[in-house]
Amino acid sequence: GFVQEIALGIEAGEFAAINSLIIGDDYEFTSNRTATPNNDYITITDESNTVIAHGITPLTINSITVTIVRMHIHLDAGCNTDADFHDATIQSLTNALTCYKPEIPGITYKPDTRIDFFWSAPSMSTPTGYDWEIVPSGNAQRQGFR
């Protein structure tokens, strides 16, 4: 569900190819001049350049039907270009709505001063890290130890 950079410094009039999309998922495509929000016009096509969707950034496609797309960047619907650099990003809205918790958690050692625990990564995602919080019984979250 995180925003993923597709192209840094692409010029209006060019396109970026994006693969490994998940059929049925929802995606949001954005394009802005480097560090300057604007109204870039995005056209999403399949590999044969058949238009799937088009509109002003950000552009959302619900229930995508292909795994590979081309993201075309223009200044407007008239396909005007410029020599500025544009940053293109994509975000999976489907995964942004889902929080995958660690699976099969367990404790192997728990004396008064230390706790050893284990878990398996969620089968539906590949996290790069976890943020754990220990909350004493009866306390609310954010009142424990990190």
Side-chain angles (χ1 to χ4, degrees):
F2 62 93
V3 175
Q4 183 174 353
E5 185 178 281
I6 299 302
L8 179 62
I10 188 173
E11 290 185 21
E14 297 180 329
F15 73 86
I18 305 164
N19 59 24
S20 300
L21 299 178
I22 300 171
I23 291 177
D25 279 8
D26 303 333
Y27 291 93
E28 181 179 79
F29 299 84
T30 63
S31 172
N32 289 300
R33 285 183 197 93
T34 304
T36 306
N38 60 59
N39 293 324
D40 282 352
Y41 196 85
I42 300 170
T43 302
I44 303 296
T45 67
D46 63 14
E47 290 182 287
S48 64
N49 278 333
T50 300
V51 175
I52 297 171
H54 57 88
I56 295 172
T57 189
L59 177 64
T60 299
I61 297 178
N62 294 314
S63 194
I64 200 151
T65 59
V66 294
T67 60
I68 300 173
V69 298
R70 293 177 177 172
M71 181 178 175
H72 303 261
I73 310 296
H74 293 95
L75 297 181
D76 53 38
C79 296
N80 287 315
T81 63
D82 65 9
D84 291 341
F85 292 113
H86 300 254
D87 296 335
T89 63
I90 184 174
Q91 179 180 13
S92 170
L93 299 176
T94 302
N95 288 331
L97 301 175
T98 305
C99 177
Y100 297 106
K101 295 181 180 181
E103 296 176 0
I104 314 170
I107 297 173
T108 57
Y109 185 68
K110 187 180 83 168
D112 292 338
T113 59
R114 175 177 116 200
I115 184 170
D116 294 345
F117 59 97
F118 61 90
W119 70 93
S120 296
S123 57
M124 296 298 294
S125 69
T126 53
T128 57
Y130 291 98
D131 202 8
W132 292 93
E133 181 177 17
I134 300 169
V135 180
S137 180
N139 286 18
Q141 283 186 292
R142 305 286 182 222
Q143 293 179 355
F145 309 100
R146 293 193 94 166

